[in-house]
Structure formats: C-alpha cells, structure tokens
Amino acid sequence: MFRHLRYAAPVLGILAVAPLGRVHAQAPQFGLTAGVSLATLTGDVTDDLENNTTFLVGGFAAFQRGGLTIEPGVFFTRKGTKFSESGAEVKNNIDYLQIPVLFKLGAPIGNASRAYFGVGPAIGFQLGCTFVGSAVGVSASVDCEDFNDADGGLTTKSTEFSGIGVAGIEFGKFAIGLRADLGLTNIYGAAVGNVDFESDLKTRTLSLVGSVKF
C-alpha cells in the first residue's frame, strides 16, 4: 500500500500552491472522512449481482477560494459486488488507494449549518482483489490473480478512473453526507492464451460518510 503514497504527495502539493485566478485564498483546513458503502458492478453479465457492504476511510485538505472549495484527498476505499453461486454467497472485494479532487460549493442553512454540493475526478490504484465465499458457516478466500494462468483467465486492472459526486450538510467542523463514486474505466479483463479481451465491468459505489475538520 505505501508504495502508492508517492502519487499522493505531488497531487496535494500542486493543488496547495496552484492559484485560481486572483481570488484570495484562505489557509487550508485538513480533515478525516469515514463511511459505509454499498458497492456493486455495472456492465456485462451483472443481472444477478447484489450490493456488497463495504467501507472507506481517508483524509483531505480543503482550500477555500472565494465561494469555491478545492478538496484533494487520499482514501482507502473498498469496492466490488456480491452474488450467489452454487448455494454459497460470494463477495468480490476490490481495494483501492484512491486520490480524488473535489470542487465544492456551499449554501447556508440557518445560522449554524450549510449545505454543500461537489463533483470531481478520482484515480484509484488497486491494492488487492479477492473473492470470499461462505456457506453453512464455512468461508474461504481466493485472490483474483489465482484465476489467471498461462492459458488465460481473469485479469484485473491496476488503476481505475472514476467520477465523484457529493452532497450533504456541514455543522461547524462536522459534516454528514452522501458520496457517489461511478467507475469510468473497466476493472476486469479476460485472456485466452496471449489474446486479451476487454470487458465492460465498472464499479458503482454509494457511501454514507461523516467528516471532521481540524
């Protein structure tokens, strides 16, 4: 996981010093976010897929520039899906180190809170991929790479690009809201011998998140 952190530092550093026109920029705030997610896949052969309950956790920096907040972050997020196979429940867990950059606008609600809305891109670096099956009290885990050998099989992509949308309410230093994460690139492929086949399988993750700023 830590080898991927080298991608985070340059992104945060560039955004910290990048000007946005001639608008006065306030000192940045930093915070933590955690949440519970419902994750699944969209695209090919997804009719029988169900939501997999997962999670995300990470930190962010908030740069206020006029009425716009630029919010880069670094998150651990688990995506994937769930399905049933031969009487067993199978969860596909796909873990990412994700670097989003959100552009957020806010509107006051009363004297003590405000609503916020935001969108932005994200890049995710895959940390791991497993299939976890359970039946009659017995469970087993198989790495996704085990489905690929010299004759072909399932292949996974090391990076994912996605679009993020957020909305919620802030109460001083605290916030609660929804976070929609829609994958824009395929996460799986297939191979037969030396021939690769592109699939249409993308992630879709909806999270209920809480944040605190310091």
Side-chain angles (χ1 to χ4, degrees):
M1 172 179 177
F2 295 103
R3 64 187 177 89
H4 295 296
L5 292 178
R6 69 180 185 272
Y7 296 102
V11 173
L12 296 177
I14 291 171
L15 288 170
V17 299
L20 183 64
R22 297 183 178 274
V23 179
H24 176 68
Q26 301 177 5
Q29 289 183 292
F30 300 92
L32 298 174
T33 295
V36 60
S37 307
L38 293 177
T40 190
L41 302 180
T42 63
D44 295 338
V45 293
T46 58
D47 293 341
D48 297 326
L49 298 183
E50 305 173 23
N51 286 320
N52 185 14
T53 303
T54 61
F55 67 98
L56 65 86
V57 62
F60 63 89
F63 300 90
Q64 189 75 34
R65 299 179 182 273
L68 176 68
T69 301
I70 303 175
E71 195 174 280
V74 179
F75 289 83
F76 174 90
T77 178
R78 172 165 289 178
K79 302 184 180 184
T81 190
K82 182 174 69 173
F83 58 93
S84 297
E85 181 68 28
S86 302
E89 180 183 84
V90 181
K91 294 183 179 181
N92 180 205
N93 297 324
I94 313 169
D95 297 334
Y96 291 96
L97 177 70
Q98 188 184 67
I99 302 174
V101 181
L102 300 180
F103 300 87
K104 297 170 64 175
L105 296 173
I109 302 177
N111 297 323
S113 61
R114 70 180 204 133
Y116 68 85
F117 311 88
V119 295
I123 182 171
F125 302 96
Q126 191 191 115
L127 302 176
C129 176
T130 58
F131 286 91
V132 182
S134 59
V136 293
V138 179
S139 63
S141 177
V142 178
D143 194 283
C144 295
E145 294 183 358
D146 293 340
F147 291 97
N148 191 32
D149 55 29
D151 295 325
L154 183 69
T155 60
T156 60
K157 307 297 181 65
S158 60
T159 58
E160 179 200 40
F161 292 94
S162 58
I164 308 293
V166 296
I169 301 177
E170 296 178 344
F171 306 88
K173 294 183 178 181
F174 300 94
I176 187 170
L178 293 175
R179 183 181 193 266
D181 183 336
L182 301 178
L184 303 177
T185 52
N186 295 321
I187 60 168
Y188 281 120
V192 178
N194 295 324
V195 181
D196 294 329
F197 298 91
E198 189 70 21
S199 67
D200 178 21
L201 283 171
K202 300 179 178 69
T203 63
R204 185 181 68 196
T205 310
L206 180 65
S207 306
L208 176 65
V209 298
S211 302
V212 58
K213 293 180 180 178
F214 302 103

